[in-house]
Amino acid sequence: MEVTKHFLARVVGLIVLPLLLYVAIFAVHFLVLNKSGPGDGFFSSAFQSRLIGNNLHNASMPEFLAYGSTITVKNLRIAGGYLHSHWHLYPEGVGAKQQQVTAYHHKDYNNLWIVQRQQNDEYPSESPELVRHGDIIRLEHKETTRNLHSHLHEAPVTKRHFQVTGYGTNGSGDANDLWKVELSGGQKGDLVKVLRSKVRFIHRASGCVLYSSGKTLPKWGWEQGEVTCSPYLKETPNSQWNIEDHINPKLPNISLSVLKPSFLEILLESHIVMIRGNSGLKPKDNEMTSKPWHWPINYQGLRFSGVNNSDYRVYLLGNPVVWWLNLASLGLYIVMVVVTSVALQRGLSLGANIIGRSAVLRGGGGLLLLGWALHYAPFYAMGRVLYYHHYFPAMLFNSMLSGITLDILLKSSDAVLQPPYCDWLQRFGQTVLLFSVFYSFYLFHPLSYGMTGPLAHEQGSTMAGLKWMDSWEF
Protein backbone atom coordinates (compact mmCIF):
# COMPACT_ATOMS: atom_id res chain seq x y z
CA MET A 1 0.00 0.00 0.00
CA GLU A 2 2.82 2.41 0.90
CA VAL A 3 4.55 1.64 -2.42
CA THR A 4 1.34 2.45 -4.32
CA LYS A 5 0.92 5.76 -2.46
CA HIS A 6 4.54 6.64 -3.10
CA PHE A 7 4.17 5.78 -6.79
CA LEU A 8 0.96 7.83 -7.17
CA ALA A 9 2.55 10.78 -5.34
CA ARG A 10 5.45 10.72 -7.81
CA VAL A 11 3.08 10.49 -10.79
CA VAL A 12 1.07 13.47 -9.56
CA GLY A 13 4.07 15.55 -8.49
CA LEU A 14 6.46 14.77 -11.33
CA ILE A 15 4.11 14.17 -14.29
CA VAL A 16 0.56 15.47 -13.79
CA LEU A 17 1.34 18.82 -12.13
CA PRO A 18 4.20 19.74 -14.55
CA LEU A 19 1.97 18.77 -17.48
CA LEU A 20 -0.89 20.92 -16.17
CA LEU A 21 1.52 23.82 -15.67
CA TYR A 22 2.85 23.37 -19.21
CA VAL A 23 -0.66 23.34 -20.69
CA ALA A 24 -1.65 26.35 -18.56
CA ILE A 25 1.30 28.33 -19.91
CA PHE A 26 0.12 27.62 -23.45
CA ALA A 27 -3.42 28.62 -22.51
CA VAL A 28 -2.07 32.03 -21.42
CA HIS A 29 0.07 32.12 -24.57
CA PHE A 30 -2.96 31.64 -26.84
CA LEU A 31 -4.97 34.15 -24.82
CA VAL A 32 -2.35 36.90 -25.05
CA LEU A 33 -0.94 36.20 -28.52
CA ASN A 34 -4.23 36.24 -30.37
CA LYS A 35 -3.40 38.53 -33.28
CA SER A 36 -2.38 37.85 -36.85
CA GLY A 37 1.29 37.84 -37.90
CA PRO A 38 3.58 36.95 -40.80
CA GLY A 39 3.65 33.26 -39.81
CA ASP A 40 -0.10 32.65 -40.09
CA GLY A 41 0.35 30.55 -43.21
CA PHE A 42 2.12 27.80 -41.25
CA PHE A 43 -1.18 27.02 -39.53
CA SER A 44 -4.44 25.52 -40.75
CA SER A 45 -7.31 27.66 -41.94
CA ALA A 46 -9.28 26.81 -38.79
CA PHE A 47 -6.40 27.93 -36.56
CA GLN A 48 -6.12 31.21 -38.48
CA SER A 49 -9.82 31.94 -38.03
CA ARG A 50 -9.19 32.67 -34.30
CA LEU A 51 -6.45 35.29 -34.95
CA ILE A 52 -7.55 38.91 -34.80
CA GLY A 53 -6.52 40.71 -37.97
CA ASN A 54 -6.39 37.57 -40.09
CA ASN A 55 -8.64 37.68 -43.13
CA LEU A 56 -10.44 34.56 -41.82
CA HIS A 57 -11.23 36.06 -38.38
CA ASN A 58 -14.97 36.71 -38.13
CA ALA A 59 -14.99 36.57 -41.93
CA SER A 60 -17.71 35.65 -44.34
CA MET A 61 -17.38 34.27 -47.86
CA PRO A 62 -19.30 32.08 -50.33
CA GLU A 63 -19.86 28.60 -48.98
CA PHE A 64 -19.51 26.61 -52.21
CA LEU A 65 -16.78 26.83 -54.84
CA ALA A 66 -17.84 28.15 -58.25
CA TYR A 67 -16.30 28.70 -61.66
CA GLY A 68 -14.86 32.19 -61.99
CA SER A 69 -14.00 32.39 -58.28
CA THR A 70 -10.64 33.71 -57.10
CA ILE A 71 -9.26 31.37 -54.43
CA THR A 72 -6.25 30.35 -52.38
CA VAL A 73 -5.53 26.64 -52.04
CA LYS A 74 -3.87 25.39 -48.84
CA ASN A 75 -2.30 22.00 -48.31
CA LEU A 76 -3.75 20.02 -45.38
CA ARG A 77 -0.36 18.80 -44.21
CA ILE A 78 0.54 20.76 -41.06
CA ALA A 79 2.73 23.64 -42.24
CA GLY A 80 2.02 22.49 -45.80
CA GLY A 81 1.75 25.98 -47.28
CA TYR A 82 -0.31 27.62 -50.00
CA LEU A 83 -0.26 26.67 -53.67
CA HIS A 84 1.91 29.46 -55.08
CA SER A 85 3.53 30.59 -58.28
CA HIS A 86 5.67 33.51 -59.42
CA TRP A 87 7.37 34.80 -62.57
CA HIS A 88 10.61 32.89 -61.96
CA LEU A 89 11.27 29.82 -64.12
CA TYR A 90 12.79 26.47 -63.21
CA PRO A 91 16.51 26.65 -64.04
CA GLU A 92 18.20 24.83 -66.89
CA GLY A 93 18.46 21.11 -66.20
CA VAL A 94 15.54 21.02 -63.75
CA GLY A 95 12.69 19.54 -65.78
CA ALA A 96 11.03 21.86 -68.27
CA LYS A 97 12.13 25.49 -68.10
CA GLN A 98 8.64 26.70 -67.23
CA GLN A 99 7.21 28.83 -64.43
CA GLN A 100 7.82 27.62 -60.88
CA VAL A 101 4.95 26.35 -58.73
CA THR A 102 5.72 26.03 -55.01
CA ALA A 103 4.18 25.77 -51.54
CA TYR A 104 4.54 29.09 -49.71
CA HIS A 105 3.84 29.55 -46.00
CA HIS A 106 2.95 33.25 -46.03
CA LYS A 107 -0.03 35.25 -47.22
CA ASP A 108 0.83 36.61 -50.65
CA TYR A 109 -0.84 37.92 -53.79
CA ASN A 110 0.90 35.16 -55.75
CA ASN A 111 -1.19 32.59 -53.87
CA LEU A 112 -4.32 33.59 -55.82
CA TRP A 113 -5.78 31.30 -58.50
CA ILE A 114 -8.89 31.58 -60.68
CA VAL A 115 -11.10 28.52 -61.14
CA GLN A 116 -11.75 28.06 -64.88
CA ARG A 117 -13.74 25.59 -66.94
CA GLN A 118 -11.70 23.22 -69.06
CA GLN A 119 -12.72 25.28 -72.09
CA ASN A 120 -11.77 28.97 -72.02
CA ASP A 121 -15.26 30.40 -72.48
CA GLU A 122 -17.11 33.36 -71.00
CA TYR A 123 -19.28 33.10 -67.90
CA PRO A 124 -22.97 33.84 -68.09
CA SER A 125 -24.16 36.94 -66.26
CA GLU A 126 -26.52 35.00 -63.98
CA SER A 127 -25.50 33.00 -60.91
CA PRO A 128 -22.20 31.18 -61.63
CA GLU A 129 -22.04 27.41 -61.97
CA LEU A 130 -20.81 25.56 -58.87
CA VAL A 131 -17.86 23.17 -58.97
CA ARG A 132 -18.68 19.56 -58.11
CA HIS A 133 -16.91 16.31 -57.31
CA GLY A 134 -15.63 14.81 -60.56
CA ASP A 135 -15.52 18.11 -62.53
CA ILE A 136 -12.58 18.83 -64.83
CA ILE A 137 -11.18 22.31 -64.18
CA ARG A 138 -8.22 24.56 -64.87
CA LEU A 139 -6.52 26.67 -62.21
CA GLU A 140 -5.23 29.91 -63.70
CA HIS A 141 -2.64 31.85 -61.71
CA LYS A 142 -4.13 35.32 -61.27
CA GLU A 143 -0.88 37.33 -61.40
CA THR A 144 0.85 35.58 -64.32
CA THR A 145 -2.24 34.14 -66.14
CA ARG A 146 -0.49 30.78 -66.51
CA ASN A 147 -2.34 27.52 -65.87
CA LEU A 148 -1.42 24.94 -63.23
CA HIS A 149 0.33 22.31 -65.36
CA SER A 150 2.08 18.97 -65.02
CA HIS A 151 3.92 16.61 -67.37
CA LEU A 152 6.18 13.56 -67.22
CA HIS A 153 9.40 15.44 -66.37
CA GLU A 154 10.70 14.44 -62.94
CA ALA A 155 10.14 16.77 -59.98
CA PRO A 156 13.12 18.87 -58.84
CA VAL A 157 13.67 17.20 -55.43
CA THR A 158 11.34 14.19 -55.21
CA LYS A 159 12.58 12.42 -58.32
CA ARG A 160 9.88 9.72 -58.36
CA HIS A 161 7.20 12.39 -58.75
CA PHE A 162 6.38 14.56 -61.75
CA GLN A 163 7.12 18.27 -62.12
CA VAL A 164 4.36 20.86 -61.62
CA THR A 165 4.69 24.17 -63.46
CA GLY A 166 2.81 27.21 -64.68
CA TYR A 167 2.18 27.06 -68.43
CA GLY A 168 0.38 28.98 -71.13
CA THR A 169 -0.57 32.63 -71.55
CA ASN A 170 -3.82 34.40 -70.61
CA GLY A 171 -5.40 31.08 -69.67
CA SER A 172 -4.59 29.30 -72.93
CA GLY A 173 -2.49 26.15 -72.66
CA ASP A 174 -2.84 22.46 -73.47
CA ALA A 175 -4.37 19.21 -72.20
CA ASN A 176 -1.79 18.99 -69.40
CA ASP A 177 -3.51 21.94 -67.68
CA LEU A 178 -6.63 19.93 -66.80
CA TRP A 179 -7.31 18.63 -63.28
CA LYS A 180 -10.12 16.48 -61.91
CA VAL A 181 -11.68 17.64 -58.63
CA GLU A 182 -12.01 14.80 -56.15
CA LEU A 183 -13.52 15.19 -52.67
CA SER A 184 -12.52 12.94 -49.80
CA GLY A 185 -15.45 10.58 -49.36
CA GLY A 186 -17.32 12.46 -52.08
CA GLN A 187 -19.78 11.23 -54.68
CA LYS A 188 -20.39 12.57 -58.15
CA GLY A 189 -22.27 15.83 -57.96
CA ASP A 190 -21.23 16.76 -54.41
CA LEU A 191 -20.39 20.46 -54.00
CA VAL A 192 -16.98 21.70 -52.88
CA LYS A 193 -17.32 23.44 -49.52
CA VAL A 194 -14.91 26.26 -48.75
CA LEU A 195 -12.54 25.44 -45.84
CA ARG A 196 -14.34 22.22 -44.98
CA SER A 197 -13.95 19.97 -48.02
CA LYS A 198 -10.75 17.94 -48.39
CA VAL A 199 -9.97 18.26 -52.08
CA ARG A 200 -7.56 16.34 -54.28
CA PHE A 201 -6.60 17.48 -57.76
CA ILE A 202 -5.99 14.53 -60.10
CA HIS A 203 -4.04 15.32 -63.27
CA ARG A 204 -6.26 14.23 -66.13
CA ALA A 205 -3.50 13.34 -68.58
CA SER A 206 -1.14 11.35 -66.33
CA GLY A 207 -3.42 10.34 -63.43
CA CYS A 208 -1.05 11.69 -60.74
CA VAL A 209 -2.24 13.78 -57.79
CA LEU A 210 -1.18 17.32 -56.82
CA TYR A 211 1.15 16.89 -53.85
CA SER A 212 3.10 18.95 -51.32
CA SER A 213 6.20 16.88 -50.54
CA GLY A 214 7.26 18.89 -47.47
CA LYS A 215 10.77 19.20 -48.95
CA THR A 216 12.50 22.54 -49.47
CA LEU A 217 13.60 23.76 -52.88
CA PRO A 218 17.17 25.07 -53.37
CA LYS A 219 17.94 28.79 -53.47
CA TRP A 220 16.76 29.05 -57.08
CA GLY A 221 13.29 28.21 -55.72
CA TRP A 222 13.63 30.77 -52.89
CA GLU A 223 13.73 27.86 -50.42
CA GLN A 224 9.96 27.49 -50.69
CA GLY A 225 8.21 24.11 -50.47
CA GLU A 226 8.23 21.65 -53.33
CA VAL A 227 4.94 20.94 -55.13
CA THR A 228 4.84 17.80 -57.27
CA CYS A 229 2.40 15.51 -59.00
CA SER A 230 2.58 12.16 -57.23
CA PRO A 231 1.85 8.90 -59.08
CA TYR A 232 1.00 7.33 -55.70
CA LEU A 233 -2.69 8.00 -55.19
CA LYS A 234 -3.10 7.04 -51.53
CA GLU A 235 -5.00 9.73 -49.63
CA THR A 236 -2.65 11.60 -47.29
CA PRO A 237 -2.63 15.19 -45.96
CA ASN A 238 0.18 15.90 -48.45
CA SER A 239 -2.20 15.23 -51.35
CA GLN A 240 -5.24 16.91 -49.81
CA TRP A 241 -6.03 20.61 -50.08
CA ASN A 242 -8.73 22.96 -48.91
CA ILE A 243 -10.07 26.15 -50.41
CA GLU A 244 -9.23 28.91 -47.94
CA ASP A 245 -9.92 32.35 -49.47
CA HIS A 246 -12.89 32.48 -51.82
CA ILE A 247 -13.85 35.64 -53.68
CA ASN A 248 -16.91 35.70 -55.91
CA PRO A 249 -19.22 38.73 -55.72
CA LYS A 250 -21.99 36.84 -57.51
CA LEU A 251 -22.45 34.38 -54.61
CA PRO A 252 -23.94 34.95 -51.13
CA ASN A 253 -21.59 34.85 -48.13
CA ILE A 254 -21.78 32.79 -44.94
CA SER A 255 -20.05 33.35 -41.57
CA LEU A 256 -16.91 31.31 -40.83
CA SER A 257 -17.18 31.60 -37.03
CA VAL A 258 -18.28 27.94 -36.81
CA LEU A 259 -14.78 26.86 -37.86
CA LYS A 260 -12.94 28.04 -34.73
CA PRO A 261 -11.07 25.07 -33.22
CA SER A 262 -11.03 23.95 -29.60
CA PHE A 263 -8.13 24.61 -27.23
CA LEU A 264 -6.83 21.03 -27.46
CA GLU A 265 -6.90 21.20 -31.27
CA ILE A 266 -4.82 24.39 -31.42
CA LEU A 267 -2.48 23.05 -28.71
CA LEU A 268 -1.77 19.92 -30.77
CA GLU A 269 -1.43 21.82 -34.04
CA SER A 270 0.94 24.41 -32.58
CA HIS A 271 3.26 21.66 -31.35
CA ILE A 272 3.27 19.86 -34.69
CA VAL A 273 4.09 23.14 -36.45
CA MET A 274 6.91 23.85 -33.97
CA ILE A 275 8.40 20.37 -34.42
CA ARG A 276 8.31 20.55 -38.21
CA GLY A 277 9.50 24.13 -38.25
CA ASN A 278 12.49 23.33 -36.07
CA SER A 279 13.44 20.23 -38.05
CA GLY A 280 13.35 22.23 -41.28
CA LEU A 281 15.47 25.17 -40.12
CA LYS A 282 18.35 26.12 -42.40
CA PRO A 283 21.01 28.75 -41.75
CA LYS A 284 20.61 32.07 -43.53
CA ASP A 285 23.42 33.59 -45.54
CA ASN A 286 26.31 34.70 -43.28
CA GLU A 287 24.45 33.41 -40.21
CA MET A 288 26.69 32.08 -37.45
CA THR A 289 25.76 28.53 -36.50
CA SER A 290 27.68 26.20 -34.21
CA LYS A 291 28.50 22.59 -33.48
CA PRO A 292 27.93 20.70 -30.22
CA TRP A 293 31.63 20.48 -29.39
CA HIS A 294 31.80 24.29 -29.46
CA TRP A 295 29.40 24.71 -26.55
CA PRO A 296 31.13 23.33 -23.41
CA ILE A 297 34.39 25.17 -24.21
CA ASN A 298 32.62 28.46 -25.07
CA TYR A 299 34.34 28.36 -28.45
CA GLN A 300 32.00 30.67 -30.31
CA GLY A 301 29.09 32.94 -29.45
CA LEU A 302 26.20 34.20 -31.54
CA ARG A 303 25.97 37.72 -32.92
CA PHE A 304 22.45 39.06 -32.38
CA SER A 305 22.91 42.50 -33.90
CA GLY A 306 25.52 44.86 -35.24
CA VAL A 307 28.78 44.29 -37.07
CA ASN A 308 30.60 47.63 -37.37
CA ASN A 309 31.83 50.00 -34.65
CA SER A 310 28.97 52.37 -35.50
CA ASP A 311 26.33 49.67 -34.78
CA TYR A 312 24.67 48.85 -31.49
CA ARG A 313 26.06 45.36 -30.94
CA VAL A 314 24.71 42.45 -28.88
CA TYR A 315 26.71 39.21 -28.71
CA LEU A 316 25.54 36.01 -27.00
CA LEU A 317 28.47 34.44 -25.15
CA GLY A 318 28.66 32.43 -21.95
CA ASN A 319 30.41 33.93 -18.94
CA PRO A 320 33.91 32.48 -19.55
CA VAL A 321 34.64 31.93 -15.85
CA VAL A 322 31.39 30.02 -15.31
CA TRP A 323 31.69 28.08 -18.57
CA TRP A 324 35.27 26.94 -18.06
CA LEU A 325 34.75 26.29 -14.35
CA ASN A 326 31.85 24.03 -15.29
CA LEU A 327 34.01 22.23 -17.84
CA ALA A 328 36.76 21.71 -15.26
CA SER A 329 34.17 20.54 -12.71
CA LEU A 330 33.00 17.79 -15.08
CA GLY A 331 36.50 16.32 -15.12
CA LEU A 332 36.97 16.92 -11.39
CA TYR A 333 33.67 15.18 -10.61
CA ILE A 334 34.68 12.06 -12.52
CA VAL A 335 38.06 11.95 -10.76
CA MET A 336 36.47 12.38 -7.33
CA VAL A 337 33.87 9.67 -7.96
CA VAL A 338 36.51 7.24 -9.23
CA VAL A 339 38.83 7.89 -6.27
CA THR A 340 36.13 7.51 -3.59
CA SER A 341 34.59 4.47 -5.30
CA VAL A 342 37.97 2.70 -5.47
CA ALA A 343 38.70 3.59 -1.85
CA LEU A 344 35.34 2.25 -0.68
CA GLN A 345 35.70 -0.86 -2.80
CA ARG A 346 39.05 -1.63 -1.15
CA GLY A 347 37.59 -1.12 2.31
CA LEU A 348 39.72 1.87 3.29
CA SER A 349 38.67 3.74 6.42
CA LEU A 350 37.47 7.12 5.15
CA GLY A 351 35.42 8.42 8.04
CA ALA A 352 31.70 9.04 8.32
CA ASN A 353 31.84 12.55 6.81
CA ILE A 354 33.65 11.48 3.66
CA ILE A 355 31.43 8.42 3.19
CA GLY A 356 28.32 10.63 3.47
CA ARG A 357 29.72 13.15 0.99
CA SER A 358 30.63 10.33 -1.37
CA ALA A 359 27.01 9.16 -1.33
CA VAL A 360 25.83 12.68 -2.22
CA LEU A 361 28.48 12.92 -4.94
CA ARG A 362 27.51 9.65 -6.58
CA GLY A 363 23.75 9.93 -6.01
CA GLY A 364 22.75 13.56 -6.55
CA GLY A 365 25.79 14.32 -8.68
CA GLY A 366 25.14 11.26 -10.83
CA LEU A 367 21.60 12.41 -11.57
CA LEU A 368 22.86 15.85 -12.57
CA LEU A 369 25.53 14.33 -14.80
CA LEU A 370 22.86 12.18 -16.44
CA GLY A 371 20.68 15.28 -16.93
CA TRP A 372 23.58 17.11 -18.56
CA ALA A 373 24.32 14.17 -20.88
CA LEU A 374 20.66 13.69 -21.90
CA HIS A 375 20.32 17.38 -22.77
CA TYR A 376 23.62 17.56 -24.62
CA ALA A 377 24.54 14.27 -26.31
CA PRO A 378 21.46 14.02 -28.63
CA PHE A 379 22.61 17.11 -30.54
CA TYR A 380 25.46 15.10 -32.04
CA ALA A 381 22.87 12.97 -33.87
CA MET A 382 20.77 15.88 -35.13
CA GLY A 383 20.93 16.89 -38.78
CA ARG A 384 19.20 20.25 -38.32
CA VAL A 385 20.92 23.61 -37.92
CA LEU A 386 22.21 24.16 -34.37
CA TYR A 387 22.74 27.34 -32.38
CA TYR A 388 24.64 28.25 -29.24
CA HIS A 389 21.53 28.59 -27.09
CA HIS A 390 20.68 24.90 -27.56
CA TYR A 391 23.28 24.12 -24.89
CA PHE A 392 21.60 26.22 -22.18
CA PRO A 393 19.40 23.44 -20.65
CA ALA A 394 22.44 21.16 -20.38
CA MET A 395 24.42 24.08 -18.97
CA LEU A 396 21.95 24.40 -16.11
CA PHE A 397 22.61 20.79 -15.06
CA ASN A 398 26.35 21.33 -15.45
CA SER A 399 26.22 24.39 -13.18
CA MET A 400 24.35 22.50 -10.46
CA LEU A 401 26.84 19.66 -10.75
CA SER A 402 29.68 22.17 -10.36
CA GLY A 403 28.07 23.47 -7.16
CA ILE A 404 27.92 19.98 -5.62
CA THR A 405 31.43 19.05 -6.77
CA LEU A 406 33.14 22.21 -5.54
CA ASP A 407 31.20 22.25 -2.28
CA ILE A 408 32.23 18.67 -1.45
CA LEU A 409 35.81 19.37 -2.52
CA LEU A 410 36.07 22.36 -0.14
CA LYS A 411 34.35 20.52 2.71
CA SER A 412 36.75 17.59 2.27
CA SER A 413 39.60 19.84 3.35
CA ASP A 414 38.83 18.64 6.89
CA ALA A 415 40.58 15.40 5.89
CA VAL A 416 43.96 17.19 5.76
CA LEU A 417 43.41 20.31 7.92
CA GLN A 418 42.24 20.69 11.49
CA PRO A 419 39.54 23.18 12.54
CA PRO A 420 39.39 26.12 12.24
CA TYR A 421 41.82 26.05 9.27
CA CYS A 422 39.59 23.80 7.19
CA ASP A 423 36.65 26.17 7.81
CA TRP A 424 38.76 29.17 6.80
CA LEU A 425 39.83 27.43 3.60
CA GLN A 426 36.23 26.57 2.80
CA ARG A 427 35.05 30.16 3.25
CA PHE A 428 38.03 31.52 1.34
CA GLY A 429 37.31 29.20 -1.57
CA GLN A 430 33.62 30.20 -1.63
CA THR A 431 34.54 33.89 -1.53
CA VAL A 432 37.03 33.57 -4.41
CA LEU A 433 34.49 31.62 -6.44
CA LEU A 434 31.69 34.18 -5.95
CA PHE A 435 34.02 37.10 -6.57
CA SER A 436 35.25 35.52 -9.82
CA VAL A 437 31.71 34.96 -11.07
CA PHE A 438 30.49 38.48 -10.23
CA TYR A 439 33.62 40.21 -11.49
CA SER A 440 33.59 38.30 -14.76
CA PHE A 441 29.94 39.29 -15.18
CA TYR A 442 30.92 42.92 -14.67
CA LEU A 443 33.68 42.61 -17.30
CA PHE A 444 31.56 40.91 -19.96
CA HIS A 445 28.12 42.43 -19.33
CA PRO A 446 28.34 44.84 -22.33
CA LEU A 447 28.02 41.80 -24.58
CA SER A 448 24.53 41.11 -23.29
CA TYR A 449 23.33 44.65 -22.57
CA GLY A 450 24.68 46.10 -25.80
CA MET A 451 27.77 48.06 -26.73
CA THR A 452 28.84 50.69 -29.24
CA GLY A 453 32.14 52.13 -30.28
CA PRO A 454 35.39 50.40 -31.29
CA LEU A 455 35.57 46.63 -31.69
CA ALA A 456 37.46 44.53 -29.12
CA HIS A 457 40.73 44.50 -31.09
CA GLU A 458 40.68 48.29 -31.58
CA GLN A 459 42.00 50.96 -29.23
CA GLY A 460 39.51 52.55 -26.87
CA SER A 461 37.11 49.59 -26.92
CA THR A 462 35.16 48.82 -23.76
CA MET A 463 36.04 45.16 -24.47
CA ALA A 464 39.78 45.72 -24.99
CA GLY A 465 41.79 42.78 -23.72
CA LEU A 466 38.70 40.60 -23.20
CA LYS A 467 38.77 38.77 -26.50
CA TRP A 468 40.39 35.73 -24.91
CA MET A 469 39.71 33.47 -27.90
CA ASP A 470 40.22 34.34 -31.56
CA SER A 471 36.92 32.65 -32.40
CA TRP A 472 34.95 35.25 -30.41
CA GLU A 473 33.60 37.93 -32.72
CA PHE A 474 32.82 41.12 -30.83
Side-chain angles (χ1 to χ4, degrees), residues 228-347:
T228 68
C229 199
S230 172
Y232 310 105
L233 300 183
K234 182 180 178 181
E235 285 196 16
T236 66
N238 299 65
S239 66
Q240 294 176 324
W241 307 76
N242 74 317
I243 311 303
E244 183 170 289
D245 296 288
H246 184 208
I247 304 169
N248 194 321
K250 296 181 179 180
L251 292 173
N253 294 334
I254 64 163
S255 173
L256 302 181
S257 59
V258 295
L259 296 174
K260 289 184 178 179
S262 67
F263 170 72
L264 291 180
E265 288 173 328
I266 63 176
L267 180 68
L268 177 62
E269 181 175 342
S270 64
H271 280 73
I272 295 175
V273 169
M274 285 190 290
I275 292 170
R276 289 183 176 171
N278 274 299
S279 63
L281 279 178
K282 290 187 174 182
K284 303 178 180 67
D285 290 338
N286 301 318
E287 186 178 24
M288 188 65 66
T289 59
S290 61
K291 298 178 180 179
W293 68 266
H294 291 175
W295 303 337
I297 62 175
N298 213 21
Y299 179 78
Q300 193 175 55
L302 180 63
R303 185 188 298 116
F304 275 178
S305 65
V307 176
N308 303 314
N309 55 13
S310 59
D311 297 331
Y312 192 78
R313 306 187 302 279
V314 175
Y315 189 77
L316 178 64
L317 183 73
N319 184 323
V321 170
V322 174
W323 241 249
W324 295 336
L325 185 64
N326 281 350
L327 183 62
S329 295
L330 280 173
L332 181 62
Y333 170 80
I334 294 173
V335 170
M336 291 171 64
V337 168
V338 170
V339 169
T340 54
S341 297
V342 170
L344 290 172
Q345 187 70 24
R346 293 194 170 189

Side-chain angles (χ1 to χ4, degrees), residues 33-41 48 50-57 107:
L33 301 178
N34 61 349
K35 295 184 179 179
S36 177
D40 289 3
Q48 294 180 50
R50 58 173 294 279
L51 300 175
I52 299 172
N54 188 281
N55 63 309
L56 296 178
H57 182 258
K107 304 279 188 176

Side-chain angles (χ1 to χ4, degrees), residues 368-413:
L368 294 175
L369 181 65
L370 178 63
W372 172 81
L374 292 176
H375 284 80
Y376 175 53
F379 286 105
Y380 282 94
M382 291 187 182
R384 55 153 291 173
V385 61
L386 299 174
Y387 297 103
Y388 186 66
H389 62 264
H390 287 142
Y391 184 62
F392 288 2
M395 185 63 186
L396 179 62
F397 283 93
N398 196 174
S399 297
M400 291 189 288
L401 179 61
S402 297
I404 288 180
T405 302
L406 295 176
D407 180 59
I408 290 178
L409 179 66
L410 291 173
K411 285 180 177 179
S412 297
S413 61

Side-chain angles (χ1 to χ4, degrees), residues 75-94:
N75 188 250
L76 291 186
R77 174 183 177 272
I78 297 295
Y82 295 94
L83 187 65
H84 176 96
S85 188
H86 40 237
W87 288 104
H88 302 280
L89 307 181
Y90 287 100
E92 196 72 40
V94 181

Side-chain angles (χ1 to χ4, degrees), residues 16 32 105 243 257 266 270 283 434 438 471:
V16 176
V32 175
H105 293 101
I243 311 303
S257 59
I266 63 176
S270 64
L434 290 174
F438 285 121
S471 53

